[in-house]
Amino acid sequence: MATSTILSRKLLNPVNRALFATPYSPSLPRLKAIQRPIQRSIARRHFRSTPTVKMIAKSHFLDTSGETDPVWIHTEPYSKRPQFQPLTENIKTDVCVVGSGIAGISVSYELVQRGVNVVMLEARDILSGETGRTSGHLSSGIDSGFVELASKRGQDGAQMAVDSHTYAINRVGEISKELGIECEYRQLMGYDISQFQKGQDGHEDDIKEFKEEVKKMNELGIKASYKEGFAVRGWDGKIDQRDAVTYPGQATFHPTKYLLGVLKWLTQQSNFKCFTRSRVISVQEKGLFSKEVKVNTESGHTITCVNAVEATCVPLQKLSVVAEMKFFRTYCIAIRVPKGSIEDCLLYDSKDPYHYVRFTACDEKDDYLIIGGNDHKVGQESEEGRYSELESWVRDRFTQAGAVDYQWSGQIFEPVDYTAFIGKNQGQSHVYICTGDFGNGLTHGVIAGKLIADEIMGLENEWSKLYNPKRIPSLSKVPGMIAHDVQINAQYKRFLQSDVKDIEDIVPGSGGVINPTTKSPMAVYKDEEGKVFKFSALCPHMKGVVCWNGAEKSWDCPVHGSRFGKDGVGIIGPASGNLPPADEAAEALLKQSSAA
């Protein structure tokens, strides 16, 4: 469709125009939006979703999956995001997409462009999941490296990985240009450096691996090279980590600006609907040869569709692919640096877990350097010291660094064979999933847009050979799966453990698990005024005992990575529901938070 045609289409009504036409200010202060619009009505006859403008107070966990705020709200605050009404009736459509992150919006865009009727559902508000908490990199690089990937999936598999991620990088640029979305999209260089200083033990070993990786990257069509003595411009600290793998064709952007631009286009199409605060509790396919899928919501309403797509970071199911992934928390800070003082690039070191660096706009004087890393398994390690280590890493290498304005964390889903699961779910013919981002959630989401749309339309796509969720585990994958299962099962030891002995030991504004000998474990949250709220500490997914995450004020399950807000609101699956309240105060808090 021509850009002029897309941009000349009228929005649905004056309110819709006002919401999307508001200019963005680059100097908006850091804040938490406590007010936002809600929608009262929908143009059902024309199959369109219409944002409106009434403002009410709300739970922060409806905006984002943590207590902290990512840097992306600096120029795109929560209050600027469009609002949609909840699903209030049973409806039928061609495709129901569950989830409004980059995978859900990308799948919806590709299908709507092809004339398919699409309904998108979101449990909370638009972009409230992990897409809004990313670091914003678009890379064709794979966390495992291509040598390791080729050993697991073969040379052809590694080639498909390069081709599909390169497609995703370019596709974001194409769509942002076609729709006129200003989202800071730009292609730039990627650099891999040793975690060790020159002359230290380990540096030469890293360089040897780098040279092998460069050879493999070039075999796969990535124009990589090893440059001895290379240093990023602006690296003026005393720590000397020179020597690097360099490769072009990488990219970065402002993810929420991009996706809100795509969503703006979607809301103008007659074959698209969106409903928020409509939590899906099950996706049921009626028999192997049925062409009908039932998507059931917590409110008791059902969407009947031909195909359903679970674009929910992790599918809302017990095991299957869920058991083939590891779940990690990762940490980020955004620190001011003088504009133009450091080369605009993507930078990664060899540490495990590695540090990663990129940049985004701050104001006329400064840019933000975003650095992430210090990953750990969900609910299995303390979050203490993660942010301070990142800050020290930056200051030791870039002495011009200024204030840290934002710090936040996100979640990573790592398949044991290093490859995402995108396509028809195991044991199903009309339910599709996108999970296992492995640190490349943005490109995987865009890949899912094309791959799933092609499969729904009956078009052959060779990438399905790589990403097929029904793929048979290779023998090389089995030892890792067994070790992972043993480690996961060990987390049930928390049935015998307590974080605190008594509620009085819990500091206001925090939480802990109390494990009475005669009762089930309780997750106890004490607010800043000292009021106590008790929830069941058993995750509704597989009954793991949750842990308190002090950085995000959330309850995290160490078994399969489900997370819940301090108020019990479900924020990351595979659990499909909220944390069950165990007293009247918790029940009232959960009800208030879910309905706000």
Side-chain angles (χ1 to χ4, degrees), residues 51-204:
T52 59
V53 292
K54 184 179 177 181
M55 309 296 286
I56 60 170
K58 56 174 292 188
S59 166
H60 191 56
F61 285 100
L62 293 177
D63 285 324
T64 186
S65 58
E67 185 76 5
T68 60
D69 292 316
V71 68
W72 313 115
I73 70 163
H74 186 72
T75 54
E76 199 68 46
Y78 303 124
S79 57
K80 291 287 187 181
R81 296 181 184 177
Q83 298 296 294
F84 302 91
Q85 73 173 34
L87 181 67
T88 58
E89 62 181 350
N90 299 332
I91 61 175
K92 293 185 176 182
T93 188
D94 295 335
V95 177
C96 178
V97 175
V98 184
S100 68
I102 191 164
I105 291 177
S106 295
V107 170
S108 297
Y109 177 79
E110 300 293 348
L111 287 171
V112 167
Q113 271 207 326
R114 305 180 195 194
V116 177
N117 292 322
V118 175
V119 171
M120 185 167 69
L121 297 181
E122 170 57 52
R124 294 174 288 148
D125 284 337
I126 292 295
L127 291 174
S128 56
E130 294 309 295
T131 295
R133 303 181 71 82
T134 178
S135 63
H137 75 283
L138 296 165
S139 176
S140 58
I142 305 296
D143 278 12
S144 63
F146 289 108
V147 172
E148 184 67 16
L149 180 63
S151 73
K152 296 281 187 180
R153 303 304 309 275
Q155 185 78 359
D156 289 344
Q159 186 64 65
M160 283 187 279
V162 170
D163 293 345
S164 56
H165 284 278
T166 300
Y167 160 85
I169 292 170
N170 294 329
R171 184 62 172 155
V172 172
E174 292 169 1
I175 293 174
S176 59
K177 184 177 180 180
E178 289 173 5
L179 302 187
I181 304 169
E182 177 46 58
C183 59
E184 301 178 32
Y185 175 86
R186 60 207 184 272
Q187 293 203 1
L188 33 70
M189 293 292 296
Y191 302 129
D192 293 345
I193 61 172
S194 173
Q195 63 175 305
F196 302 104
Q197 296 190 60
K198 288 180 71 71
Q200 283 186 337
D201 292 341
H203 186 87
E204 288 304 316

Side-chain angles (χ1 to χ4, degrees), residues 99-412:
S100 68
I102 191 164
I105 291 177
S106 295
V107 170
S108 297
Y109 177 79
E110 300 293 348
L111 287 171
V112 167
Q113 271 207 326
R114 305 180 195 194
V116 177
N117 292 322
V118 175
V119 171
M120 185 167 69
L121 297 181
E122 170 57 52
R124 294 174 288 148
D125 284 337
I126 292 295
L127 291 174
S128 56
E130 294 309 295
T131 295
R133 303 181 71 82
T134 178
S135 63
H137 75 283
L138 296 165
S139 176
S140 58
I142 305 296
D143 278 12
S144 63
F146 289 108
V147 172
E148 184 67 16
L149 180 63
S151 73
K152 296 281 187 180
R153 303 304 309 275
Q155 185 78 359
D156 289 344
Q159 186 64 65
M160 283 187 279
V162 170
D163 293 345
S164 56
H165 284 278
T166 300
Y167 160 85
I169 292 170
N170 294 329
R171 184 62 172 155
V172 172
E174 292 169 1
I175 293 174
S176 59
K177 184 177 180 180
E178 289 173 5
L179 302 187
I181 304 169
E182 177 46 58
C183 59
E184 301 178 32
Y185 175 86
R186 60 207 184 272
Q187 293 203 1
L188 33 70
M189 293 292 296
Y191 302 129
D192 293 345
I193 61 172
S194 173
Q195 63 175 305
F196 302 104
Q197 296 190 60
K198 288 180 71 71
Q200 283 186 337
D201 292 341
H203 186 87
E204 288 304 316
D205 290 338
D206 275 353
I207 298 308
K208 182 179 179 181
E209 290 185 12
F210 283 171
K211 290 179 178 179
E212 293 176 358
E213 192 68 19
V214 166
K215 181 181 178 182
K216 179 62 67 176
M217 292 170 77
N218 278 286
E219 289 176 4
L220 298 171
I222 299 175
K223 297 179 180 179
S225 61
Y226 168 71
K227 292 187 178 180
E228 185 175 359
F230 178 87
V232 172
R233 179 177 58 80
W235 183 311
D236 58 354
K238 294 182 179 179
I239 293 178
D240 181 6
Q241 289 171 257
R242 286 175 297 163
D243 304 336
V245 176
T246 72
Y247 45 100
Q250 310 306 292
T252 189
F253 70 146
H254 192 299
T256 58
K257 282 185 177 180
Y258 169 75
L259 290 167
L260 289 177
V262 178
L263 186 60
K264 172 184 174 180
W265 180 86
L266 282 169
T267 59
Q268 299 172 43
Q269 310 309 309
S270 61
N271 55 330
F272 176 77
K273 270 186 179 180
C274 178
F275 298 96
T276 57
R277 313 215 187 165
S278 301
R279 183 177 296 277
V280 171
I281 58 173
S282 67
V283 179
Q284 299 176 326
E285 186 172 320
K286 299 294 183 179
L288 186 62
F289 301 104
S290 173
K291 291 187 178 181
E292 184 176 274
V293 179
K294 300 284 188 180
V295 179
N296 304 302
T297 67
E298 188 178 49
S299 63
H301 299 103
T302 298
I303 291 181
T304 302
C305 52
V306 179
N307 293 285
V309 180
E310 292 189 52
T312 50
C313 284
V314 61
L316 305 177
Q317 59 194 46
K318 290 297 183 183
L319 290 174
S320 190
V321 297
V322 175
E324 298 181 41
M325 293 189 290
K326 304 173 186 178
F327 306 91
F328 293 87
R329 299 300 296 166
T330 188
Y331 297 82
C332 289
I333 65 171
I335 186 168
R336 287 175 177 259
V337 295
K339 191 173 288 292
S341 62
I342 302 171
E343 180 181 352
D344 188 14
C345 63
L346 302 184
L347 177 66
Y348 308 86
D349 72 12
S350 63
K351 188 176 181 181
D352 185 16
Y354 59 85
H355 295 99
Y356 47 93
V357 174
R358 65 241 14 168
F359 299 85
T360 192
C362 173
D363 55 30
E364 293 182 357
K365 179 182 176 183
D366 293 328
D367 288 324
Y368 280 125
L369 182 155
I370 300 171
I371 178 172
N374 292 337
D375 308 358
H376 65 81
K377 287 190 173 181
V378 176
Q380 297 185 32
E381 294 182 32
S382 171
E383 67 281 355
E384 292 182 9
R386 309 281 173 173
Y387 296 125
S388 59
E389 191 278 337
L390 295 174
E391 181 178 355
S392 296
W393 192 96
V394 173
R395 295 194 188 283
D396 288 344
R397 292 157 178 80
F398 303 99
T399 62
Q400 61 273 56
V404 175
D405 285 356
Y406 296 88
Q407 57 184 36
W408 72 99
S409 63
Q411 192 136 317
I412 295 172

